[in-house]
Amino acid sequence: MLYDITKLGIIPNLGRGFMSNYSKQRECIINIIRDLRTHPTAEEIYMKVKQVDEKISRSTVYRNINILVENGDVNKISMPVGPDRYDYNHEMHNHIICEKCGKVYDFYYDIPKSLRKEIENQLLGKISLGESIEIKGICYECKSKKEK
Amino acid sequence: MLYDITKLGIIPNLGRGFMSNYSKQRECIINIIRDLRTHPTAEEIYMKVKQVDEKISRSTVYRNINILVENGDVNKISMPVGPDRYDYNHEMHNHIICEKCGKVYDFYYDIPKSLRKEIENQLLGKISLGESIEIKGICYECKSKKEK
DNA sequence: TTCCATGCAAATCGTTTGCATAAAC
DNA sequence: GTTTATGCAAACGATTTGCATGGAA
């Protein structure tokens, strides 16, 4: 083992069969996703990884992204348009997504207790609110295009 | 013209080239989407329409859904898993979506001024919040599955 | 008689899967 | 030596598109 993957804050889930084996590809993918702050698509991650490991395959990238999402280390953002985007779980933050072009902006806001309570009341025993929220909006670029 | 499509509350955008021509398929699709309150997928809408018009094609359904979304009459809900879902814009409501299974629940809540203001401040001149919000959560069914 | 919508099939996009090989343990 | 990850190519699901045809204005 060249590097200890746990140093990256990724806890191998040996019991589950996930992340149990080191590979230089896996380490590279994790490093790159962790360092990108651009809400990249799988393709963008793949391209970035390719700059380091010329021979890596798309499916290896997809497979590892899915494992990271499954483990909760990476957040998957479903897009209203185009391919899904991914975001390493650093400090708590929320997203607002343009429903026309899919551009993602971060914002910081503690979900008010009143909202949590309201949702809990309305959806008693059905669903609970996640830690971070994603809201749809429309960016000014798309808005001005629309008004033409 | 057999029926006046404007009676459905759909204003034909003649100037834009959208919804300018009546067709029985189009009317049927609009009626069905408006009456479904189940956040159906395109395929589910297609199946429902097919019960009325046996010979309708999938692409006609997709094309008309897109026009309705474009016009703002129908809301497209991007799913974390599986195909997108659609919702006719009746009275104002918000969605909470299970990020594991994609199930959609409605809830009613006026977005607090503090949240609007906060987002406006943080994203000055970039993006503005839409009228309804979509939040991710995890439903109790998926949560209990996960805990096993 | 012009324009627009339809139906069909093929194409496309993003992603997953089966399988043989290679690397990790 | 057994398990798990990789690379490749093929398969897949959801959606869009090109084109010939038919209906609406």
Side-chain angles (χ1 to χ4, degrees), chain A residues 76 78-80 96 107-109 114 118 122-123 125-130 134-140 143, chain B residues 76 78-80 96 107-109 114 118 122-123 125-126 128-130 134-140 143:
Chain A
K76 175 177 175 173
S78 312
M79 288 290 114
I96 180 163
F107 71 96
Y108 303 87
Y109 187 78
S114 61
E118 190 58 34
Q122 288 188 31
L123 301 165
K126 287 178 187 156
I127 192 163
S128 68
L129 188 53
E134 271 160 30
I135 301 188
K136 290 208 294 190
I138 183 160
C139 75
Y140 288 118
K143 195 179 260 175
Chain B
K76 175 177 174 175
S78 313
M79 288 291 114
I96 180 163
F107 70 96
Y108 303 86
Y109 188 77
S114 61
E118 191 58 35
Q122 288 187 31
L123 301 165
K126 288 177 186 155
S128 69
L129 188 53
E134 271 160 29
I135 301 188
K136 289 207 296 190
I138 184 159
C139 74
Y140 287 118
K143 196 180 259 178

Side-chain angles (χ1 to χ4, degrees), chain A residues 69-70 75-81 84 96-100 103 105-109 112 114-115 118-120 122-141 143 146, chain B residues 69-70 75-81 84 96-100 103 105-109 112 114-115 118-120 122-141 143 146:
Chain A
V69 170
E70 189 62 38
N75 184 24
K76 175 177 175 173
I77 317 171
S78 312
M79 288 290 114
V81 59
D84 291 341
I96 180 163
I97 303 158
C98 176
E99 60 189 342
K100 289 296 163 203
K103 212 176 285 150
Y105 295 96
D106 294 340
F107 71 96
Y108 303 87
Y109 187 78
S114 61
L115 174 53
E118 190 58 34
I119 291 177
E120 270 166 37
Q122 288 188 31
L123 301 165
L124 211 64
K126 287 178 187 156
I127 192 163
S128 68
L129 188 53
E131 281 318 298
S132 72
I133 66 176
E134 271 160 30
I135 301 188
K136 290 208 294 190
I138 183 160
C139 75
Y140 288 118
E141 207 175 316
K143 195 179 260 175
K146 209 180 165 186
Chain B
V69 170
E70 189 62 38
N75 184 25
K76 175 177 174 175
I77 316 172
S78 313
M79 288 291 114
V81 59
D84 292 341
I96 180 163
I97 304 157
C98 175
E99 60 189 342
K100 290 295 164 201
K103 210 176 289 153
Y105 295 95
D106 293 339
F107 70 96
Y108 303 86
Y109 188 77
S114 61
L115 175 52
E118 191 58 35
I119 291 177
E120 271 166 35
Q122 288 187 31
L123 301 165
L124 210 67
K126 288 177 186 155
I127 192 165
S128 69
L129 188 53
E131 282 317 298
S132 71
I133 65 176
E134 271 160 29
I135 301 188
K136 289 207 296 190
I138 184 159
C139 74
Y140 287 118
E141 206 174 317
K143 196 180 259 178
K146 209 179 165 187

